Amino acid sequence: GARETFESYYRKQRRKQARLVLQPPSNMHETLDGYRKYFNQIVGFFVVEDHILHTTQGLVNRAYIDELWEMALSKTIAALRTHSSYCSDPSLVLDLKNLIVLFADTLQGYGFPVNQLFDMLLEIQDQYSETLLKKWAGVFRNILDSDNYSPIPVSNEEVYKKIVGQFPFQDAELEKQPFPKKFPFSEFVPKVYSQIKEFIYACLKFSEDLHLSSTEVDDMIRKSTNLLLTRTLSNCLQNVIKRKNVGLTELVQIIINTTHLEKSCKFLEEFITNITNVLPETVHTTKLYGTTTFKDARHAAEEEIYTNLNQKIDQFLQLADYDWMALEPGSRASDYLVDLIGFLRSTFAVFTHLPGKVAQTACMSACKHLSTSLLQLLLEAEVRQLTLGALHQFNLDVEECEQFARSGPVPGFQGDTLQLAFIDLRQLLDLFIQWDWSTYLADYGQPTCKYLRVNPTTALILLEKMRDTSRKNNVFAQFRKNERDKQKLIDTVAKQLRGLIN
């Protein structure tokens, strides 16, 4: 006879039990079993309530159950948000997603609204994507660290087919060549390409059973893949390029590799299209703009090559040991310079596989750097005095540089473009060796002037250094066409140069 008391007692007790059931264990995120147990408790609770609703008269009603479910839903979602955020293993996050889908579908079967759970799964998806990116950062690092940065050799058809199966590469020329032959890229190209595809599969796994449209799935995969390229892979490549021990050969190989990877992006686009069946022409399709990753990496490697070459040139120049007071020049170019030119020749021989512009820019930048550095040697403040003999020796070295520039170390230069890198030095040396001041002073400032590239300030610095030596010994005897005092001539020229400067 106490029906009302019993009903309110029952509902009160069940509310308390519901609160207990909804309390997740503290280490729930550590194993899948923790989550499974938690979900089973909640499902059990609501299946019982649903049964009671349908088999008893008025003990519980729909409004009471809906209110309980609303509380349960918000507590469950809060618990899942907290616990899933601790998880760093993508496969555990994936298993958790499958459990949540099972949990939601089950309760939906009993008529409970579960949209919020699916919305929350999209949040977990972002986190899954983050854990994947972390995992793949390690994968890419290992691939790049273990690469030997030299073209892949192939000894037979089987190996050739295997590589072409991993990476979309077609080259009619290479196919015609007899074995053994080499692919232009190194191991990391097919490996990185395969791993990008693995990542796409991993992204796809999460989107299954989420009741998403194919365009939503496509969009999600493309966005994650773009992040993988522009952030994860990009960082890994930049780190390799900036490493201290990466030499020119490796940098050249990185440029070749990234060129091939960039070309392969259209195949990745097709790969995603085949999976999702969403055509790239569809209005909402996100493009794979990750191609910029390979462009950026290539530019960084090119910059590094230019810097690296200049540093090597500087190391050779530190070995320069001119006798600035020499009365007679040697019979050939200085040893350090012959070695330096030898180094440049062998380096540019390696550049044959590089895109033309890169090799030319590297060669031009090296010649300009060499030219400026040699001029600095002449003008250094520590070199107080200079003889004509020393200048003749220096001239032999510059001739060696010009000879190198003429020999076409890198194909594709028009005419004497490369020799122009040394034009400032050439005109300066000619002016002094031929002692052609009358021409210089008469033509100065005219566009057709023979010594157009000689700055009067530079000429004056050099002249001052020679004036001191000519006071000490009569180096200029050979110029004494008449007995005019050489010193006066130098003074006169110096005075006129100062006039030009002012």
Side-chain angles (χ1 to χ4, degrees):
R3 186 183 176 92
E4 274 180 26
T5 319
F6 177 63
E7 275 176 16
S8 82
Y9 169 78
Y10 175 85
R11 291 181 189 185
K12 204 173 181 176
Q13 291 303 318
R14 286 297 273 166
R15 269 202 187 88
K16 281 183 183 170
Q17 286 168 13
R19 287 208 160 81
L20 280 177
V21 164
L22 291 164
Q23 207 56 50
S26 59
N27 60 346
M28 180 167 83
H29 58 274
E30 288 171 13
T31 62
L32 198 61
D33 271 349
Y35 287 111
R36 192 179 279 120
K37 225 164 149 182
Y38 178 61
F39 288 143
N40 287 350
Q41 285 175 186
I42 300 171
V43 170
F45 182 92
F46 282 98
V47 167
V48 167
E49 288 307 280
D50 182 75
H51 184 71
I52 290 194
L53 173 71
H54 288 99
T55 54
T56 64
Q57 293 273 285
L59 186 55
V60 298
N61 58 21
R62 193 81 239 178
Y64 151 83
I65 286 189
D66 286 349
E67 184 202 336
L68 257 187
W69 172 241
E70 217 158 279
M71 173 193 76
L73 196 56
S74 68
K75 281 198 183 309
T76 309
I77 285 174
L80 287 174
R81 267 200 190 112
T82 309
H83 282 269
S84 67
S85 66
Y86 296 134
C87 185
S88 58
D89 172 11
S91 53
L92 185 57
V93 180
L94 195 59
D95 289 339
L96 171 62
K97 176 227 106 173
N98 291 330
L99 260 188
I100 295 174
V101 168
L102 208 57
F103 173 67
D105 285 349
T106 304
L107 284 160
Q108 195 169 25
Y110 282 92
F112 293 101
V114 292
N115 284 352
Q116 280 173 284
L117 279 169
F118 281 104
D119 291 345
M120 189 211 50
L121 277 172
L122 294 178
E123 286 173 36
I124 292 185
Q125 182 180 1
D126 290 341
Q127 192 213 328
Y128 174 68
S129 193
E130 283 303 317
T131 59
L132 284 184
L133 290 170
K134 275 204 190 76
K135 178 180 169 181
W136 257 264
V139 170
F140 287 145
R141 261 200 307 276
N142 290 340
I143 291 176
L144 296 175
D145 286 350
S146 61
D147 200 63
N148 62 5
Y149 294 93
S150 50
I152 306 174
V154 267
S155 49
N156 56 44
E157 189 66 33
E158 199 183 333
V159 181
Y160 189 86
K161 283 202 167 122
K162 186 179 166 222
I163 305 272
V164 179
Q166 287 174 328
F167 182 72
F169 176 77
Q170 276 179 321
D171 183 347
E173 283 305 304
L174 188 64
E175 275 175 40
K176 280 181 212 150
Q177 283 174 27
F179 291 102
K181 50 189 170 186
K182 283 177 179 173
F183 282 101
F185 44 80
S186 72
E187 288 278 352
F188 93 56
V189 169
K191 283 182 178 169
V192 163
Y193 185 80
S194 304
Q195 281 304 324
I196 297 173
K197 283 166 78 170
E198 287 300 319
F199 176 87
I200 292 170
Y201 279 130
C203 288
L204 181 71
K205 278 197 179 123
F206 196 95
S207 63
E208 286 165 358
D209 306 318
L210 289 192
H211 313 308
L212 297 171
S213 71
S214 48
T215 35
E216 286 172 310
V217 174
D218 186 83
D219 195 50
M220 176 208 103
I221 291 179
R222 285 170 189 272
K223 279 181 177 155
S224 300
T225 308
N226 273 331
L227 274 179
L228 178 79
L229 296 174
T230 54
R231 202 171 77 192
T232 311
L233 181 56
S234 182
N235 284 346
C236 294
L237 285 169
Q238 298 287 349
N239 287 340
V240 171
I241 291 164
K242 291 277 174 276
R243 246 188 241 150
K244 283 281 173 286
N245 57 350
V246 170
L248 285 165
T249 330
E250 285 95 336
L251 288 167
V252 168
Q253 193 59 58
I254 288 172
I255 291 176
I256 294 164
N257 286 358
T258 46
T259 309
H260 284 287
L261 280 169
E262 188 189 334
K263 284 180 189 159
S264 75
C265 279
K266 65 171 190 288
F267 295 101
L268 287 173
E269 294 259 12
E270 283 171 22
F271 178 67
I272 295 175
T273 302
N274 290 338
I275 288 177
T276 61
N277 286 325
V278 177
L279 294 172
E281 297 79 65
T282 314
V283 186
H284 301 295
T285 322
T286 316
K287 269 272 168 272
L288 274 193
Y289 51 79
T291 37
T292 54
T293 294
F294 303 118
K295 276 198 182 73
D296 294 346
R298 196 162 60 249
H299 292 323
E302 286 165 17
E303 287 306 316
E304 207 58 33
I305 283 183
Y306 309 146
T307 314
N308 199 312
L309 264 177
N310 290 354
Q311 284 168 348
K312 285 273 194 294
I313 291 172
D314 292 342
Q315 285 167 10
F316 279 102
L317 285 163
Q318 280 165 5
L319 304 173
D321 185 20
Y322 288 102
D323 173 7
W324 297 114
M325 301 304 290
L327 295 180
E328 286 295 324
S331 56
R332 60 191 203 93
S334 312
D335 288 346
Y336 88 90
L337 196 101
V338 174
D339 292 345
L340 165 53
I341 297 294
F343 160 75
L344 289 177
R345 274 191 204 291
S346 61
T347 300
F348 291 126
V350 178
F351 283 18
T352 44
H353 301 297
L354 278 179
K357 277 281 177 284
V358 182
Q360 286 169 18
T361 310
C363 190
M364 182 50 102
S365 115
C367 286
K368 279 184 175 159
H369 182 71
L370 176 54
S371 175
T372 337
S373 306
L374 284 170
L375 187 58
Q376 287 313 113
L377 280 182
L378 267 188
L379 302 179
E380 247 174 34
E382 284 135 48
V383 182
R384 293 227 165 80
Q385 298 179 339
L386 197 64
T387 63
L388 203 61
L391 217 51
H392 272 288
Q393 177 58 48
F394 194 79
N395 187 46
L396 284 175
D397 291 352
V398 174
E399 281 173 354
E400 187 77 15
C401 297
E402 291 169 320
Q403 174 53 38
F404 168 71
R406 266 197 302 279
S407 71
V410 164
F413 280 111
Q414 298 286 305
D416 54 358
T417 315
L418 200 53
Q419 282 155 264
L420 290 177
F422 299 100
I423 189 85
D424 296 24
L425 271 175
R426 172 45 53 224
Q427 292 188 3
L428 183 69
L429 288 170
D430 283 354
L431 173 62
F432 274 83
I433 288 171
Q434 292 162 18
W435 205 250
D436 196 3
W437 292 106
S438 51
T439 309
Y440 180 73
L441 295 165
D443 294 353
Y444 181 77
Q446 290 175 15
T448 53
C449 163
K450 184 179 173 186
Y451 300 104
L452 187 63
R453 308 298 292 253
V454 180
N455 183 315
T457 314
T458 311
L460 184 62
I461 295 172
L462 212 50
L463 196 64
E464 298 282 1
K465 294 182 183 206
M466 300 191 80
R467 157 196 277 171
D468 289 348
T469 49
S470 83
R471 280 184 185 138
K472 290 198 170 56
N473 51 28
N474 218 343
V475 179
F476 289 96
Q478 60 208 26
F479 288 120
R480 200 170 287 156
K481 293 191 177 67
N482 50 26
E483 288 304 311
R484 185 187 308 148
D485 181 12
K486 203 69 195 170
Q487 194 57 51
K488 261 190 187 150
L489 177 60
I490 289 184
D491 287 343
T492 314
V493 172
K495 195 173 166 188
Q496 286 175 288
L497 284 174
R498 281 193 199 92
L500 291 183
I501 294 165
N502 296 332

